[in-house]
Amino acid sequence: MDTTENGSAAKNLPNSHLPGRTINRSNFRDSLKILFLALTIIVGFFIFFVTPSLRPASLLTCLNVLMIAPVIHWLERKKFSRTWSILLVFSVLGVAFVLLGIYVTNVLSGQWQTLLNLLPQLGDQLSSKLNSITEQIQQLVPLKIDLGVSQWVKGFLQDTQNWFITHFPELLGNLASAVFLVPIFSFFVLRDGKKVTQEWVNLIPKKHHDHSVKVFTKISKAMSEFLRAKTVEGLLVGLLTFLGLSILGAPYAGVFAIASGITNVIPYLGPILGALPPLAVYGFSPSYHQLFLPTLFVFGGVNLIDMTLIFPIFVAKLVNLNPLILLAAVAVG
């Protein structure tokens, strides 16, 4: 009797009150939310990071936001509103970039153009030096083998010069676009980023919500700290390189210092890539032979300071790691 009554009651229940049907609908809604979140991220990625005209500005915006977001949070803790905090930081950065732009325009642009004009002469000198070395090797080893290294080097330098001349307008266009778009993108991301992120977080199913938020917070914090650390390291390396080359009275000190700071981001190979251009210019150009060894010592000293002081102390402090652990990790890597 009880069984019949229970069965009749179950049949009379609406479909929405059945546990299995409720679970299925809940899972379906969660799947739709995850699908919508994934599509939003994929579409946004393709729009901002795959589109050639927006890619440089988007990448610089990410770097800019990760770098200055902690400063915005600090100002908010000092009772500044978020909007005024962003405007204050942007004003300081704007003045700094204007001063840097004036310096680049007046000094580095001339150095860069002179250096490009020097490439053909450098190619001839390097080709002559390689031919001399090849002849000495052939005198010692009786094998008449021409690898065409000197012709390859000369062609490479000529192609490099032509590439920069051809792509210079494009680089200027990307720079102008970035100068206009990065502050706009950064302002809205910093001001409304929390709201957008919260909307995305709300799409995550409840059973994965807390864990996903925790992982996302840790990843964003680690990326921000790492980028700040590498930026500080690059700035210090570039500054030390500029001071060392300026003391020597070496030409193109500003260009080589900027290149050294940028390439320093690359582990292990970065210092070598940063040192090769000045060593090639000073080593193979007859006017600057006397600067080759002093420049080699400058780059060696800067790299030593970076490895023993800047990297294990400043970088380790910013990424919250013990200096010995960081050095061991780099050595193992």
Side-chain angles (χ1 to χ4, degrees):
M1 183 67 181
D2 293 340
T3 304
T4 305
E5 291 179 354
N6 290 337
S8 302
K11 289 181 181 179
N12 293 329
L13 284 174
N15 290 337
S16 59
H17 292 171
L18 294 176
R21 186 64 60 86
T22 303
I23 293 174
N24 289 337
R25 288 187 176 182
S26 176
N27 292 336
F28 181 70
R29 285 195 297 267
D30 290 343
S31 299
L32 284 180
K33 288 181 178 180
I34 294 175
L35 179 61
F36 178 76
L37 178 61
L39 288 176
T40 303
I41 294 174
I42 293 172
V43 171
F45 176 81
F46 273 91
I47 291 175
F48 291 102
F49 294 98
V50 177
T51 305
S53 58
L54 293 178
R55 183 167 53 222
S58 300
L59 292 173
L60 289 174
T61 298
C62 291
L63 178 62
N64 189 37
V65 169
L66 289 173
M67 287 288 295
I68 68 177
V71 182
I72 303 297
H73 297 329
W74 180 80
L75 289 173
E76 282 188 301
R77 291 195 295 270
K78 297 297 181 180
K79 307 304 180 183
F80 284 87
S81 69
R82 188 167 187 84
T83 300
W84 281 108
S85 299
I86 297 171
L87 293 176
L88 178 61
V89 172
F90 275 27
S91 300
V92 174
L93 291 178
V95 172
F97 276 111
V98 168
L99 296 176
L100 180 63
I102 294 173
Y103 174 78
V104 169
T105 302
N106 293 337
V107 180
L108 295 188
S109 59
Q111 292 185 8
W112 177 253
Q113 188 59 46
T114 306
L115 187 59
L116 282 180
N117 295 334
L118 184 66
L119 283 180
Q121 178 186 352
L122 180 63
D124 293 337
Q125 295 292 331
L126 184 57
S127 178
S128 176
K129 188 70 174 178
L130 290 173
N131 286 333
S132 176
I133 294 173
T134 302
E135 291 176 359
Q136 293 177 6
I137 293 175
Q138 288 178 348
Q139 290 177 359
L140 296 175
V141 181
L143 294 175
K144 301 296 182 181
I145 299 176
D146 185 10
L147 298 177
V149 177
S150 60
Q151 290 82 1
W152 179 86
V153 171
K154 190 174 181 179
F156 173 77
L157 291 175
Q158 185 63 47
D159 292 341
T160 301
Q161 183 187 30
N162 294 336
W163 187 91
F164 278 112
I165 293 174
T166 304
H167 290 80
F168 190 68
E170 180 184 349
L171 295 175
L172 283 181
N174 289 335
L175 179 61
S177 175
V179 169
F180 176 74
L181 292 176
V182 168
I184 298 175
F185 287 174
S186 300
F187 177 81
F188 286 106
V189 170
L190 288 168
R191 193 191 68 173
D192 303 324
K194 284 186 176 180
K195 297 178 183 178
V196 176
T197 304
Q198 187 60 46
E199 293 295 329
W200 285 358
V201 167
N202 291 337
L203 294 175
I204 301 175
K206 292 183 179 180
K207 58 183 178 181
H208 303 299
H209 184 274
D210 293 340
H211 181 69
S212 300
V213 171
K214 188 181 297 185
V215 171
F216 175 78
T217 302
K218 287 184 177 180
I219 291 175
S220 60
K221 183 180 179 181
M223 287 181 61
S224 177
E225 291 174 345
F226 176 76
L227 289 173
R228 288 201 306 274
K230 294 302 292 183
T231 302
V232 170
E233 183 186 10
L235 289 173
L236 292 175
V237 168
L239 178 61
L240 290 174
T241 303
F242 178 75
L243 291 175
L245 294 179
S246 298
I247 292 173
L248 295 178
Y252 321 117
V255 173
F256 291 146
I258 292 176
S260 176
I262 294 174
T263 57
N264 190 75
V265 176
I266 305 172
Y268 301 108
L269 291 178
I272 298 175
L273 294 176
L276 282 178
L279 292 177
V281 170
Y282 301 147
F284 293 100
S285 181
S287 305
Y288 307 126
H289 275 166
Q290 71 279 6
L291 292 173
F292 179 80
L293 284 179
T295 302
L296 182 61
F297 283 120
V298 166
F299 276 90
V302 170
N303 187 45
L304 182 63
I305 293 173
D306 180 30
M307 293 301 298
T308 57
L309 292 177
I310 298 175
F311 189 79
I313 295 178
F314 290 96
V315 177
K317 185 176 181 180
L318 285 173
V319 298
N320 296 320
L321 286 177
N322 185 281
L324 292 178
I325 294 176
L326 192 60
L327 282 176
V330 172
V332 172

